[in-house]
């Protein structure tokens, strides 16, 4: 079956630090890949996506590259802000269904 | 504004009672989904529907039921058969037939069984 494995949290960083949240997947086919963000008490918002190998998704300073050879879609940001504190979910989409990782809680300290 | 609404935001239920969670979308999306979120477990798919009057079970459908009488609406009933219903429930929708397309999520309903 399909599955997504992402970095265990929680992750705590100082403001302006570099962020990486690892995500790897297994899939029976060629999925689209997504990062969603969830702020406290809210639903999920799409952060970025990539639909084929070597595509780079980017938004709000976050980036992730679809690496087929390593089945990975790691999330990066060069300089995090306090407002980036949230839970981040990696997901794959295949046959109209999303499969999510367990989420990584990120806390940024001023 | 286009979007997905879920109501209520917080819901309390006594053990043994059925309860229905509302989900409405005005995005003209064909497909709608219900997920359950528990701490440390990510999101798990309960039911989904790709067309009016049709729906399929997801990974954890036991103890839940749905209906899709209108394109805009996809209510979820949590029945008394659901053994551990306390969770955060999220509804989503998307365009059908585009595997690259995004699922859009509502704000969620937090259900607590007393």
């Amino acid at each position: 079956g399909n599955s997504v494995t992402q970095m265990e949290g929680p992750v705590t960083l100082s403001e302006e630090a570099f962020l990486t949240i690892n995500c790897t997947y297994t899939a029976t086919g060629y999925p689209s890949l997504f990062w969603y963000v969830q702020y406290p008490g809210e639903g999920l918002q799409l952060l970025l996506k990539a639909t084929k190998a070597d595509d780079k998704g980017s938004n709000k300073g976050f980036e992730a590259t679809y690496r087929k050879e390593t089945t990975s879609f790691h999330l990066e940001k060069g300089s995090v802000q306090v407002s980036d504190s949230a839970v981040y979910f990696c997901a794959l989409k295949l046959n109209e269904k999303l499969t999510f990782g367990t989420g990584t809680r990120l806390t940024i300290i001023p | 504004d286009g979007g997905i609404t879920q109501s209520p935001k917080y819901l309390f239920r006594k053990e043994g009672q059925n309860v229905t969670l509302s989900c409405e979308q005005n995005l003209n999306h064909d497909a709608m989904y219900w997920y359950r979120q528990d701490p440390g477990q990510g999101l798990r798919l309960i039911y989904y529907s790709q067309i009016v009057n049709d729906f399929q079970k997801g990974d954890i459908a036991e103890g839940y039921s749905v209906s899709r009488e209108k394109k805009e609406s996809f209510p979820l009933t949590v029945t008394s058969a659901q053994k551990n219903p306390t969770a955060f429930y999220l509804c989503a929708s998307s365009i059908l037939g585009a595997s690259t397309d995004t699922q859009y999520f509502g704000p969620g309903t937090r259900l607590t069984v007393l």
Side-chain angles (χ1 to χ4, degrees):
Chain A
N2 303 324
S3 68
V4 175
T5 302
Q6 65 180 99
M7 188 169 157
E8 291 265 343
V11 174
T12 303
L13 295 171
S14 298
E15 204 166 19
E16 299 183 4
F18 184 85
L19 168 71
T20 300
I21 300 178
N22 290 339
C23 171
T24 58
Y25 68 90
T26 57
T28 53
Y30 299 98
S32 297
L33 300 175
F34 301 80
W35 276 100
Y36 281 87
V37 59
Q38 185 178 35
Y39 298 101
E42 298 183 10
L44 273 65
Q45 300 174 25
L46 177 69
L47 181 59
L48 52 84
K49 69 178 183 182
T51 59
K52 60 184 188 299
D54 300 325
D55 266 3
K56 178 187 281 190
S58 61
N59 186 26
K60 298 180 182 179
F62 291 90
E63 293 183 341
T65 300
Y66 190 142
R67 301 283 187 205
K68 188 178 172 188
E69 63 276 13
T70 54
T71 62
S72 65
F73 193 54
H74 304 320
L75 182 68
E76 296 182 336
K77 186 174 185 182
S79 176
V80 292
Q81 306 301 313
V82 171
S83 57
D84 294 327
S85 298
V87 180
Y88 292 81
F89 291 93
C90 185
L92 68 85
K93 188 176 183 185
L94 207 52
N95 301 323
E96 304 295 337
K97 292 172 67 175
L98 274 173
T99 300
F100 287 88
T102 55
T104 301
R105 182 175 299 279
L106 174 66
T107 302
I108 307 301
I109 299 171
Chain B
D1 275 31
I4 302 176
T5 56
Q6 291 185 243
S7 61
K9 190 171 176 64
Y10 299 96
L11 190 55
F12 297 89
R13 186 193 97 176
K14 291 183 181 177
E15 233 175 289
Q17 288 181 337
N18 292 355
V19 64
T20 298
L21 282 59
S22 167
C23 177
E24 305 277 333
Q25 55 98 0
N26 61 4
L27 299 167
N28 200 32
H29 286 169
D30 294 300
M32 296 187 74
Y33 308 81
W34 273 106
Y35 294 91
R36 172 184 170 133
Q37 184 179 18
D38 295 282
Q41 292 194 46
L43 278 72
R44 294 181 289 169
L45 182 65
I46 304 172
Y47 268 98
Y48 64 104
S49 168
Q50 297 182 335
I51 194 169
V52 173
N53 292 323
D54 189 38
F55 46 82
Q56 287 77 42
K57 292 182 179 180
D59 302 318
I60 56 164
E62 186 176 349
Y64 298 98
S65 66
V66 293
S67 63
R68 186 88 186 276
E69 296 177 2
K70 298 186 300 183
K71 187 176 183 178
E72 304 79 23
S73 178
F74 190 42
L76 173 74
T77 296
V78 184
T79 75
S80 55
Q82 169 48 235
K83 291 183 171 53
N84 185 19
T86 294
F88 191 49
Y89 290 88
L90 288 160
C91 179
S93 70
S94 70
I95 296 171
L96 191 63
S99 62
T100 60
D101 202 59
T102 305
Q103 282 189 15
Y104 295 87
F105 284 80
T109 292
R110 186 166 297 281
L111 173 64
T112 302
V113 174
L114 303 172

